[in-house]
Amino acid sequence: MKDSMNILVTLDSNYILPLKVMLKSMFYNNKNENFNIYLMHSSITDEEIKDLEEYIARDGHKLEVVYLDDEYFKDAPTLLHYTRAMYYRLLAFKFLPQDMDRILYLDPDTLVINPLRELYETDLTGYLYAAAYHDLIAVKEINRIRLMPYEIDAYYNSGILLMNLDLQRQAIDEKEIFEFVEKNHRKLIMPDQDILNCLYSKQIKTLDEKLYNYDARYYRYYKFMDDEWDMDRVIRATVIIHFCGKKKPWTKDYSGRFHALYKHYEKMALWD
Amino acid sequence: MKDSMNILVTLDSNYILPLKVMLKSMFYNNKNENFNIYLMHSSITDEEIKDLEEYIARDGHKLEVVYLDDEYFKDAPTLLHYTRAMYYRLLAFKFLPQDMDRILYLDPDTLVINPLRELYETDLTGYLYAAAYHDLIAVKEINRIRLMPYEIDAYYNSGILLMNLDLQRQAIDEKEIFEFVEKNHRKLIMPDQDILNCLYSKQIKTLDEKLYNYDARYYRYYKFMDDEWDMDRVIRATVIIHFCGKKKPWTKDYSGRFHALYKHYEKMALWD
C-alpha cells in the first residue's frame, strides 16, 4: 500500500465551494490514493468544518483541521489589503505534525485532472519547495523590476507548492519573513508570493508549469509556443489547471476554454 | 427494477472512437440504467465488433449487432454522395426486434451529460418520432425554401430521434421513401434528415433543443436568447450536446466551448 498524500489548503468561508470542486477533481482522478487534507484556517465555522469533513470522508479521505488563533501572528506585520492568512502557507511547517516530511499546498482555484503521485514524489533534496513559474516575458520582467534589488530570475507562482517540511524547519526563520514584510510593505502586491520569490527563490525546484500549474488563461499561448500542447495533450498530461487571475470559473461572468470542464467538476462536487 | 433503454447507432469504422466517447458519457451520467445498444451497420469488422462488445460490457451494458447486407437495399435509389446507410435510421423498425416499442437513435457526435430517462419516456402517442429543431431563423428559412413545395415549419435535426416503433411499423412505407428520394434527389442535401422533414414532420413531437439536442456551436446564441442558459445551466440541465457541423471535437483543428469537456470524456473512453 502506498503512503497517503498530504494536501494543504488555507482558506476562508468564501472559498469552500471551489475547494470542494478542486478536491472532487483530485479524488476522481486519483482513485487509488488516500489523501489527508490539512485545512489551516482562522474563521471557518464548526458547521462548515463538519460538512467538509463528511464531504471528504464520502470519498474515503481524511480532513485534519489546523485552527490558527488570531493571537498567533499578533506581532507579525500586516498589510492594508492582506490579513495574517498570508503567512499560513509559508509558515505551515510550524503547525503541521513535526514528523511530517512533505505536503502539497494547493490553491482552491485549481482542478486536479490527472494523477498527482509523480509530482508528490519529486526529489526535494536541497530544496525548500518545488513550484512552477509562468514563463511569459512581460510577467517576468514586471516582477523583476518591481522586486529589485532582490534578484528574481523566475517569479514562481505560490498557488501550487510542494513543501520540503524537514528542510523548512531548519532553514526558514519567521523573523526573517516578518522583517522582510516590514521593510518592503510598499512594494508587495501578492505578499506570500513576493516573500517566496524574494527570500527563497534560489531554493525552489522548478516544476513544468504545463504539467503542474497550467494557467487556464493561456491555452493559446502554450499552444502557440509548442503545437504539441493542444487540448488533447492538456487533458491527458496536465495534472493541475490553475484558474489564475481575477475572473473565476465559479462566478457568473466567467468565460474561457475550461469553463465547461470546470462546471462539470462543480456538478460532480455538488450532486454526486 | 427499471426497464433497460434501447439505443440505436448506425455508423462505419471511422466513427468507432466518437461512438465510444458518446457511450462513455452516457454510461457515466446514467449510472443506474441498463442499456441495450443496437448497432446497425454493413462494414464494421468482426474485430471491431468484439472490441466494442467488450467495451460496452465493461460498464455492464449489452451490444446487439444488426448487420445489413448491401443486398438488402439493392433496389433502393442511392445518391452520389450518400450510401444506402442513409436509410438505416428511417427503416430501423424493420430490422429491430418486432416486439420492441421504442428506441432512441443517437448520432455518435454527441455527449450525453445528464440522465436520459425523462427523454426516453416521452409520451409518443400519435407521433412517429420525437426530435428537436435548431431554432435559428436563417437555417429554418433556407430549408423551407430548399424543400418547397413540401411544407417545412421546423426543420428537425435527425441526430437525436426517439422512435415510436409500433406506430412506424404501421405508418411508414419504404416505397414511399424510395419514391421520394427518386423524385427529389437533386435537392437533397442531408437525405435522411430531408426525408424525415418532408414526409413525417407533422408526426414529430418537438423536443426542447437546449435539453436534448444542444448545438455545441451556439452557446453564445442560446445565452443571448435566454440569459439563464449560461454554462452552469448547460452542464446541469442539458442532456445531449450535439457537435453539429463539419468541425468535430476529436479532430486536430477543433476549437470550441465544449472542447475540454469532450476531451475529458474521450480520455475516460480510452483510458478508464
Side-chain angles (χ1 to χ4, degrees):
Chain A
M1 170 126 169
K2 286 181 285 192
D3 288 347
S4 56
M5 289 197 249
N6 304 315
I7 303 294
L8 174 64
V9 293
T10 68
L11 56 138
D12 61 30
S13 301
N14 293 325
Y15 273 79
I16 288 180
L17 172 64
L19 173 66
K20 284 181 166 179
V21 179
M22 180 274 273
L23 291 175
K24 185 60 75 175
S25 68
M26 183 171 81
F27 299 156
Y28 179 81
N29 292 300
N30 288 269
K31 289 217 183 73
N32 300 316
E33 302 285 359
N34 289 304
F35 291 103
N36 297 323
I37 314 297
Y38 286 82
L39 168 65
M40 204 169 273
H41 80 102
S42 63
S43 64
I44 296 179
T45 67
D46 289 352
E47 208 176 339
E48 287 167 332
I49 297 274
K50 192 161 167 277
D51 169 68
L52 207 51
E53 200 161 25
E54 286 168 6
Y55 179 82
I56 289 168
R58 237 174 286 147
D59 282 304
H61 307 286
K62 259 172 61 185
L63 177 69
E64 303 279 356
V65 177
V66 182
Y67 172 71
L68 288 187
D69 198 293
D70 271 349
E71 278 300 287
Y72 192 85
F73 290 123
K74 72 176 193 306
D75 299 328
T78 51
L79 298 167
L80 208 58
H81 53 306
Y82 275 84
T83 67
R84 292 189 172 88
M86 73 189 190
Y87 297 116
Y88 290 0
R89 83 185 84 170
L90 292 170
L91 296 174
F93 68 89
K94 301 180 67 112
F95 308 100
L96 292 167
Q98 293 302 298
D99 60 345
M100 185 187 287
D101 64 336
R102 68 174 56 203
I103 196 164
L104 175 62
Y105 170 83
L106 289 177
D107 265 355
D109 57 351
T110 56
L111 287 178
V112 179
I113 65 166
N114 272 301
L116 276 174
R117 181 53 71 177
E118 206 173 312
L119 167 62
Y120 194 80
E121 292 186 347
T122 302
D123 180 7
L124 289 175
T125 311
Y127 292 100
L128 291 169
Y129 302 96
Y133 56 87
H134 293 132
D135 194 16
L136 281 97
I137 293 156
V139 175
K140 272 161 72 172
E141 222 19 44
I142 288 166
N143 287 307
R144 199 183 60 77
I145 294 165
R146 181 170 66 86
L147 296 171
M148 284 200 290
Y150 297 93
E151 283 175 47
I152 310 290
D153 296 326
Y155 185 72
Y156 288 97
N157 180 286
S158 64
I160 291 113
L161 276 181
L162 183 64
M163 300 184 174
N164 181 344
L165 298 173
D166 284 338
L167 190 57
Q168 288 182 13
R169 283 182 203 106
Q170 298 162 41
I172 294 182
D173 177 3
E174 67 173 27
K175 280 200 212 82
E176 189 186 15
I177 291 177
F178 298 159
E179 279 165 25
F180 173 85
V181 172
E182 255 163 36
K183 193 170 148 199
N184 298 286
H185 65 273
R186 275 187 212 82
K187 62 169 73 167
L188 299 183
I189 293 180
M190 293 162 287
D192 46 6
Q193 200 160 272
D194 290 345
I195 297 165
L196 182 82
N197 280 283
C198 290
L199 296 183
Y200 309 113
S201 96
K202 303 278 183 281
Q203 288 152 283
I204 300 174
K205 186 167 191 172
T206 300
L207 298 173
D208 183 338
E209 63 175 310
K210 293 202 284 306
L211 294 178
Y212 300 121
N213 199 330
Y214 184 103
D215 190 324
R217 296 169 299 180
Y218 298 141
Y219 174 81
R220 284 168 64 115
Y221 177 79
Y222 292 134
K223 190 161 181 296
F224 176 77
M225 297 302 279
D226 180 352
D227 195 47
E228 295 276 289
W229 278 89
D230 60 5
M231 187 59 80
D232 195 58
R233 179 71 168 270
V234 177
I235 297 297
R236 286 167 190 243
T238 294
V239 179
I240 305 169
I241 300 180
H242 193 177
F243 292 85
C244 301
K246 274 191 191 139
K247 289 189 177 172
K248 298 300 188 191
W250 55 87
T251 59
K252 193 78 187 155
D253 60 337
Y254 185 81
S255 149
R257 298 262 172 184
F258 298 95
H259 195 189
L261 186 67
Y262 191 87
K263 286 289 168 187
H264 166 80
Y265 282 111
E266 189 181 285
K267 190 180 90 173
M268 282 174 71
L270 296 177
W271 286 16
D272 283 6
Chain B
M1 172 128 169
K2 285 181 284 192
D3 289 347
S4 56
M5 287 196 250
N6 304 314
I7 304 293
L8 174 63
V9 293
T10 68
L11 56 138
D12 61 29
S13 301
N14 294 326
Y15 273 79
I16 289 181
L17 173 63
L19 173 66
K20 284 182 166 178
V21 179
M22 180 275 273
L23 291 174
K24 184 61 76 177
S25 69
M26 184 172 79
F27 298 155
Y28 179 80
N29 292 301
N30 287 270
K31 288 217 183 73
N32 301 317
E33 302 286 358
N34 289 304
F35 291 102
N36 297 322
I37 314 297
Y38 287 82
L39 169 65
M40 204 168 274
H41 81 101
S42 63
S43 65
I44 297 179
T45 67
D46 289 352
E47 209 176 338
E48 287 167 332
I49 298 273
K50 193 162 167 277
D51 170 67
L52 207 50
E53 201 161 24
E54 286 168 7
Y55 179 82
I56 289 168
R58 235 174 286 148
D59 282 304
H61 307 287
K62 257 172 62 184
L63 177 68
E64 304 280 356
V65 178
V66 182
Y67 172 71
L68 287 188
D69 198 294
D70 270 349
E71 277 301 286
Y72 191 85
F73 290 123
K74 72 176 191 305
D75 300 327
T78 51
L79 298 168
L80 207 60
H81 51 305
Y82 275 84
T83 68
R84 292 191 173 85
M86 74 188 188
Y87 296 117
Y88 290 1
R89 85 185 80 170
L90 291 171
L91 296 174
F93 68 89
K94 300 180 68 107
F95 308 100
L96 292 167
Q98 293 301 300
D99 60 345
M100 186 187 287
D101 64 335
R102 66 175 58 201
I103 196 164
L104 176 63
Y105 169 83
L106 289 177
D107 265 355
D109 57 350
T110 55
L111 287 177
V112 179
I113 64 165
N114 272 302
L116 277 174
R117 180 52 72 176
E118 207 174 311
L119 167 61
Y120 194 80
E121 292 185 348
T122 302
D123 180 7
L124 289 176
T125 311
Y127 293 100
L128 291 169
Y129 303 96
Y133 57 87
H134 294 132
D135 194 15
L136 281 98
I137 292 155
V139 175
K140 272 162 70 174
E141 219 21 42
I142 287 166
N143 287 308
R144 199 183 61 77
I145 293 165
R146 182 169 65 85
L147 296 171
M148 283 199 292
Y150 297 93
E151 282 175 47
I152 312 290
D153 296 327
Y155 185 72
Y156 288 97
N157 181 284
S158 64
I160 291 111
L161 275 183
L162 182 64
M163 299 184 175
N164 181 345
L165 297 173
D166 284 337
L167 191 57
Q168 289 182 13
R169 283 183 202 105
Q170 300 162 40
I172 294 182
D173 178 4
E174 68 174 26
K175 282 200 211 80
E176 189 186 15
I177 291 177
F178 298 159
E179 279 165 26
F180 173 85
V181 172
E182 255 163 36
K183 191 169 150 201
N184 297 286
H185 64 274
R186 274 187 212 84
K187 63 170 73 166
L188 299 183
I189 294 180
M190 292 161 290
D192 46 4
Q193 200 159 271
D194 290 344
I195 297 165
L196 182 81
N197 280 284
C198 290
L199 296 183
Y200 308 114
S201 102
K202 303 278 185 279
Q203 288 153 282
I204 301 174
K205 186 166 190 171
T206 300
L207 299 173
D208 183 339
E209 63 175 312
K210 295 201 285 304
L211 294 178
Y212 299 121
N213 199 331
Y214 184 102
D215 189 324
R217 296 170 299 180
Y218 299 141
Y219 174 81
R220 283 168 65 116
Y221 177 78
Y222 292 134
K223 190 163 180 298
F224 175 77
M225 297 301 280
D226 180 351
D227 195 49
E228 294 276 290
W229 278 89
D230 60 3
M231 188 58 81
D232 195 59
R233 180 71 168 270
V234 177
I235 297 297
R236 286 167 190 243
T238 294
V239 179
I240 305 170
I241 300 181
H242 193 178
F243 292 86
C244 300
K246 276 193 189 136
K247 290 189 176 172
K248 298 300 186 191
W250 55 88
T251 59
K252 194 77 187 159
D253 60 337
Y254 184 82
S255 149
R257 298 262 171 184
F258 298 94
H259 195 187
L261 187 67
Y262 190 87
K263 285 289 169 188
H264 166 79
Y265 282 111
E266 188 181 286
K267 190 181 89 173
M268 282 175 71
L270 296 176
W271 286 15
D272 281 7

